Amino acid sequence: MESAANEAQLLAEAKQGNRRAFSLLLEPYRNRLWAVCLRTCGHRADAEDALQNTLIAIWQNLPKFRGESSISTWAFRIAQNSALAIIRKRREVTVDEDAAEYVFDRADDTDHAETNAVRDRVQRALETLSEDFRVALVLREFADYTYEQIADYQQVPVQTVRSRLNRARKQLKEALLAQEQIEL
């Protein structure tokens, strides 16, 4: 309860223009916002632009935030939209996520070269998915959206989200297996 009260206080102060409160408000979400931008854009430079655009949009629109959703849900939606805007602007079709969630979220002592190689394979596999599938995966796995939130975001029924996620995971697995066959 204290955390929610603290977040409410930081939100109120940030809405009044307090930059330190704004920074503290977003601190718990910063890594996941970065992950959403990076996995959506697929390229570090584009993700940096998307994250910067996200933070600017959040700052500029914070006074308009009505609290109908959590600040994190609102921020992740802005991040996803910022990243998709960059993709569309660059006319690239690159987004990212899922089957190797463990690779992206795990900090362990494994070989970094191997981890980077796996990330690259996953990225290439994700690039084969349709935008609807990739966006659903990014929102589910990195932004922790519920099925209902994804349905609202994509303006489709919840059952469609379930189907997209299921099919996206299967297609991602198939693409990863196909890459393994090529590399052998």
Side-chain angles (χ1 to χ4, degrees):
M1 198 62 152
E2 181 182 321
S3 177
N6 187 38
E7 187 172 277
Q9 179 63 34
L10 290 173
L11 177 60
E13 290 177 22
K15 282 185 170 187
Q16 296 300 316
N18 182 328
R19 291 176 188 232
R20 176 145 170 70
F22 177 74
S23 180
L24 291 171
L25 178 67
L26 293 182
E27 184 61 34
Y29 314 113
R30 201 168 294 275
N31 288 341
R32 289 186 0 216
L33 287 169
W34 167 248
V36 167
C37 292
L38 182 61
R39 303 299 166 238
T40 302
C41 292
H43 302 342
R44 187 172 196 84
D46 287 345
E48 289 169 355
D49 290 344
L51 183 59
Q52 182 176 2
N53 292 346
T54 297
L55 295 174
I56 290 169
I58 292 170
W59 175 255
Q60 289 176 340
N61 292 295
L62 199 57
K64 299 176 191 172
F65 177 67
R66 296 179 300 219
E68 293 173 358
S69 62
S70 70
I71 189 74
S72 62
T73 299
W74 184 67
F76 291 130
R77 177 176 284 241
I78 292 171
Q80 186 72 49
N81 288 339
S82 294
L84 288 172
I86 286 176
I87 288 171
R88 289 182 185 118
K89 186 170 95 178
R90 300 225 190 321
R91 298 205 189 293
E92 287 184 12
V93 181
T94 318
V95 180
D96 188 310
E97 183 29 37
D98 189 47
E101 170 190 349
Y102 71 95
V103 172
F104 298 118
D105 290 339
R106 242 174 62 199
D108 57 22
D109 296 329
T110 59
D111 179 23
H112 293 294
E114 177 64 24
T115 300
N116 288 337
V118 171
R119 285 181 186 185
D120 289 345
R121 285 194 300 269
V122 171
Q123 181 65 41
R124 286 192 307 271
L126 286 163
E127 290 172 359
T128 67
L129 300 179
S130 71
E131 183 176 315
D132 289 338
F133 287 6
R134 286 177 287 158
V135 168
L137 282 169
V138 168
L139 292 175
R140 179 72 184 139
E141 303 300 334
F142 283 97
D144 290 332
Y145 270 38
T146 64
Y147 291 121
E148 292 78 14
Q149 290 169 319
I150 297 169
D152 181 51
Y153 180 83
Q154 292 189 321
Q155 298 181 341
V156 295
V158 172
Q159 190 55 40
T160 300
V161 170
R162 291 181 195 281
S163 174
R164 284 180 180 176
L165 289 170
N166 186 36
R167 291 174 60 198
R169 288 179 179 124
K170 283 182 182 177
Q171 288 178 13
L172 184 65
K173 183 177 180 180
E174 290 169 4
L176 287 168
L177 290 172
Q179 284 182 30
E180 284 182 23
Q181 294 300 319
I182 291 171
E183 291 174 4
L184 296 176

